Amino acid sequence: MHGEYKVPGGKLVVADVDVVDGLLREPRISGDFFLEPDGALEAIDAALDGLPAKLDAKAIGARVQEGLPRGTVMLGITAEAVGIAVRRALGRASDWRDHDWRLIHEPPEEPALHMALDQVLAEEVGAGRRPPTLRVWEWASPAVVIGSFQSLRNEVDAGAAERYGVEVVRRISGGGAMFIEPGNTITYSLYAPETLVAGMSFAESYAFLDDWVLGALGEVGIRAWYQPLNDITSDQGKIAGAAQKRLAAGAVLHHVTMAYDIDAEKMLRVLRIGREKISDKGIASAVKRVDPLRRQTGLPREEIIDRMIGHFRSRYGLARDRVTEDERRLAGKYVTDKFSTPEWTARVP
């Protein structure tokens, strides 16, 4: 069995392993990482040989760490990354380039329809009716998107939202609230089969699925990194927040909202969260924490999106696509039956 894991910000770790009577046999770790002393690689293979195949990546990594010679130096690789590569081999994980990636980047949609499209497209990928897809969102109107488990009244000032014409919608993934204004936000979703993240925990898969974004940001002059669990940040402030949902149908939905520009004063009037934290610090603290891409790059929003798409295409391949009539029809039904209803939006009052 063969598995590969590209360490976010690091190197490729490859695991080839057999399983005999529930135990790992003849493990072979390789990759483009750096490892000293040379004999450490043999020590890794020896530590893996005979381990129970049911161990998770963290436990496998701990056994590897215990087996390393004193003074071992690992660059671009960690013991836990070895564990992830092994788990991906055992789970018959897929690689990015094993898939025929599609791009959807269409005209602006209303917030509730975006929520519905996320569910529909993830379900279609899980069912095998759609190839894995990258969708870049365009917003038709302002919105607050709250996480699946957030309290509506605790997160949003309903009066302020109404005054500013901000629609409140709830997504199917967890995480925190996002304040959206057309032209000020870059939002994208990945719809992929679960095999792409096989062997990874939720925490590990966040950075893995957004590693390409860090590369794209680097091309426009931003040195960015992942701040666990789900933030993309730079030395000038937070850039983006991610959320994820794994569907029973066998798909993973991973979406990210990035701040291109921001009206911090309006955001803090609409969102309740964080008011007390910054009550004695003023609006400037919010601007610092969520630092717009416009200020960091000086580039138009459209150019940043084009650079992101181009970077994804250069890594993994990407063919232009669109939402099909059947997908749009089903999304419209989900809007009516779910995403525009008080029962869903206020399911946690």
Side-chain angles (χ1 to χ4, degrees):
M1 289 173 276
H2 178 89
E4 299 184 0
Y5 176 60
K6 168 66 168 60
V7 180
K11 298 295 185 177
L12 180 68
V13 183
V14 180
D16 292 285
V17 63
D18 295 326
V19 175
V20 179
D21 295 330
L23 302 178
L24 304 184
R25 292 302 184 195
E26 299 186 15
R28 299 169 299 283
I29 300 300
S30 60
D32 60 355
F33 47 80
F34 298 91
L35 188 63
E36 293 291 345
D38 194 64
L41 186 60
E42 292 181 5
I44 291 174
D45 289 344
L48 293 171
D49 195 35
L51 289 183
K54 65 181 181 181
L55 292 180
D56 63 19
K58 188 173 183 180
I60 294 173
R63 301 290 185 92
V64 168
Q65 189 67 48
E66 291 171 2
L68 290 172
R70 179 181 290 273
T72 295
V73 177
M74 308 176 83
L75 297 176
I77 180 180
T78 64
E80 188 163 344
V82 173
I84 294 171
V86 170
R87 288 306 322 167
R88 285 175 63 74
L90 298 177
R92 290 177 168 79
S94 61
D95 184 65
W96 291 90
R97 287 194 170 273
D98 292 335
H99 303 290
D100 178 20
W101 286 93
R102 303 296 176 87
L103 169 68
I104 294 176
H105 188 194
E106 296 186 328
E109 304 283 8
E110 293 297 333
L113 186 59
H114 275 309
M115 304 302 106
L117 284 170
D118 251 6
Q119 181 170 340
V120 168
L121 296 176
E123 290 174 345
E124 291 298 289
V125 169
R129 292 186 291 266
R130 161 171 285 281
T133 297
L134 166 67
R135 180 169 75 97
V136 180
W137 304 23
E138 296 293 347
W139 295 87
S141 58
V144 166
V145 183
I146 60 175
S148 182
F149 311 109
Q150 288 189 294
S151 163
L152 177 60
R153 62 171 169 255
N154 288 346
E155 300 298 327
V156 182
D157 184 321
E162 185 175 359
R163 285 196 304 275
Y164 287 115
V166 175
E167 181 179 356
V168 181
V169 292
R170 186 185 294 274
R171 62 181 183 266
I172 63 173
S173 63
M178 298 293 183
F179 178 73
I180 307 293
E181 290 186 297
N184 283 355
T185 302
I186 298 174
T187 307
Y188 67 85
S189 292
L190 289 169
Y191 314 97
E194 280 193 318
T195 56
L196 187 63
V197 294
M200 298 183 205
S201 67
F202 272 95
E204 292 154 353
S205 67
Y206 271 91
F208 176 77
L209 290 173
D210 284 329
D211 188 58
W212 67 276
V213 180
L214 304 187
L217 290 173
E219 288 184 352
V220 297
I222 298 177
R223 188 180 71 86
W225 61 89
Y226 227 85
Q227 185 73 36
L229 169 68
N230 62 333
D231 287 346
I232 298 174
T233 191
S234 74
D235 55 7
Q236 296 188 49
K238 177 179 173 180
I239 293 170
Q244 192 179 118
K245 174 77 172 178
R246 298 192 187 183
L247 281 69
V252 57
L253 161 64
H254 181 88
H255 41 203
V256 173
T257 295
M258 311 176 77
Y260 174 73
D261 205 345
I262 193 167
D263 186 334
E265 185 173 359
K266 185 187 295 184
M267 177 184 73
L268 292 173
R269 286 175 176 161
V270 174
L271 295 182
R272 295 186 185 279
I273 191 71
R275 287 183 182 179
E276 188 168 335
K277 285 184 180 179
I278 66 167
S279 60
D280 61 342
K281 301 174 185 175
I283 297 300
S285 64
V287 176
K288 183 176 181 181
R289 182 170 182 271
V290 184
D291 194 74
L293 289 169
R294 180 183 61 81
R295 186 169 72 83
Q296 289 202 41
T297 66
L299 297 174
R301 174 180 175 274
E302 294 73 16
E303 183 171 344
I304 294 175
I305 291 173
D306 287 345
R307 298 280 286 273
M308 288 173 59
I309 291 172
H311 187 86
F312 189 102
R313 181 179 287 116
S314 69
R315 279 199 185 192
Y316 311 130
L318 194 60
R320 179 73 65 169
D321 201 358
R322 62 179 182 81
V323 176
T324 69
E325 291 184 7
D326 286 345
E327 290 167 342
R328 188 169 293 278
R329 188 180 304 111
L330 182 56
K333 185 177 187 303
Y334 282 4
V335 169
T336 301
D337 295 347
K338 179 177 181 178
F339 290 103
S340 64
T341 66
E343 291 78 12
W344 171 255
T345 306
R347 75 171 191 142
V348 183

